[in-house]
Amino acid sequence: MKIVLQKLKIPMILLLMGTFLLNSTPSFAQSLEGKWNIAKMNTQNSTVIQFTKDSLIFYEFDKRRSATSYHIKDNRLAVGAGSIPIGGEFEFVNPQRLRLKPEQAKSPIDFVRLKPTTTTLTRAEIAQLNFEMTYQNRTLPLNFDGEEDESGQTIQLEIIDSTYFISFYRKDRRMGAMPIEQVTTKKIMVYGFPEKPFVVSGERVISNGNTIKTNKATSANADVAIAEIIIGKWFYNHIEGWPSLSDCTKKTFFKFKEDFSLQTKPYAENPSNGNCIAGSSINGTYELLGTDQIKVTQNDKTETWKIQSLTKTKLVVERDGSALTLTKK
């Protein structure tokens, strides 16, 4: 009788173990769902893929290019015929990093899961900040001002859904994009690097190495630092007593920088053919006087603008006897 019970007990144990293993096996398809960005700094294509319950969608950054069906068996990904050939084995390096091993590729391809960037800043506010990171003993300056570095590369701040990106451009072509995990007025964290460390943090820097002055003023929103709000590009929107400004004139901007330098870039229409002509940039300096004035010096001429109102996106100053409304973009 004991022998019979033991013989019955062994299959029962195996059955229970099999049930446990079946229930504890992770759902790879469910784990894959979401958008993933290729983990490269400099590529010819900014590839983003999205797994839904029944489709695999391919994007050139935020532009949808194609879609296909897919299915998962064990640790293998199979895609529909005629699809981009990424089918093959895969593994999770960590819950946020997927490594594909396409059968037709020479080496694995890593993707990182996109997640909302943690920040309290607006896109315009982030774009005015400069940071510096160090990755594998290389210093990487992050300036979103659109100015070319020595190699001819520019950096832009872009977004997909709720994820901000550092995008690398060369001759107006996006060469790669890396997602931002977190950004504040003092620090930035970027993920999706091709090799360890996969996540790198950077500190905010001032263009000339000086610290930001802490003049305080009451804006329409709250007590905030004028020195921080005013930094960035402010475009013409309206001049008191003038008719509506043309789209060309509205390209004119003042660029207030962290080191208290000021750039003015005028635009005007050619009366003979209506073409929009960019004038020469005018460089100068500015100084905040208390909470309601800006002293501007350009071309050896100094004038004081009276601040009538200031928010994070709108500045109204009295200049040359009339109110000038500027908007930040």
Side-chain angles (χ1 to χ4, degrees), residues 250-268:
K250 287 183 177 181
K251 291 183 179 181
T252 299
F253 66 82
F254 299 100
K255 184 176 182 179
F256 296 88
K257 301 183 181 180
E258 293 179 335
D259 60 357
F260 295 93
S261 62
L262 174 65
Q263 176 193 6
T264 303
K265 184 72 172 179
Y267 285 82

Side-chain angles (χ1 to χ4, degrees), residues 159-304:
I159 189 170
I160 295 178
D161 301 328
S162 299
T163 306
Y164 285 106
F165 284 79
I166 296 168
S167 294
F168 305 96
Y169 278 80
R170 193 180 303 276
K171 295 182 179 180
D172 296 326
R173 178 179 180 181
R174 188 188 300 105
M175 304 301 293
M178 303 189 68
I180 300 174
E181 181 174 292
Q182 181 181 9
V183 59
T184 69
T185 57
K186 297 181 180 180
K187 185 177 181 180
I188 191 170
M189 294 182 66
V190 181
Y191 63 104
F193 283 86
E195 300 176 2
K196 291 184 177 180
F198 296 142
V199 182
V200 177
S201 62
E203 301 295 329
R204 184 181 175 187
V205 297
I206 311 301
S207 57
N208 65 350
N210 294 332
T211 56
I212 298 176
K213 296 182 181 179
T214 56
N215 301 67
K216 297 286 182 177
T218 301
S219 71
N221 292 336
D223 288 338
V224 292
I226 284 184
E228 293 188 6
I229 286 185
I230 205 169
I231 293 170
K233 285 184 178 180
W234 295 86
F235 292 82
Y236 270 39
N237 180 266
H238 177 71
I239 302 177
E240 183 182 20
W242 285 37
S244 298
L245 301 180
S246 67
D247 291 339
C248 178
T249 302
K250 287 183 177 181
K251 291 183 179 181
T252 299
F253 66 82
F254 299 100
K255 184 176 182 179
F256 296 88
K257 301 183 181 180
E258 293 179 335
D259 60 357
F260 295 93
S261 62
L262 174 65
Q263 176 193 6
T264 303
K265 184 72 172 179
Y267 285 82
E269 290 184 358
N270 186 327
S272 63
N273 54 26
N275 291 340
C276 188
I277 307 299
S280 300
S281 293
I282 304 171
N283 296 315
T285 61
Y286 72 95
E287 180 182 354
L288 300 175
L289 304 177
T291 61
D292 61 353
Q293 292 181 323
I294 309 172
K295 184 169 76 172
V296 174
T297 302
Q298 290 181 316
N299 290 340
D300 298 324
K301 178 184 177 182
T302 299
E303 58 183 8
T304 300

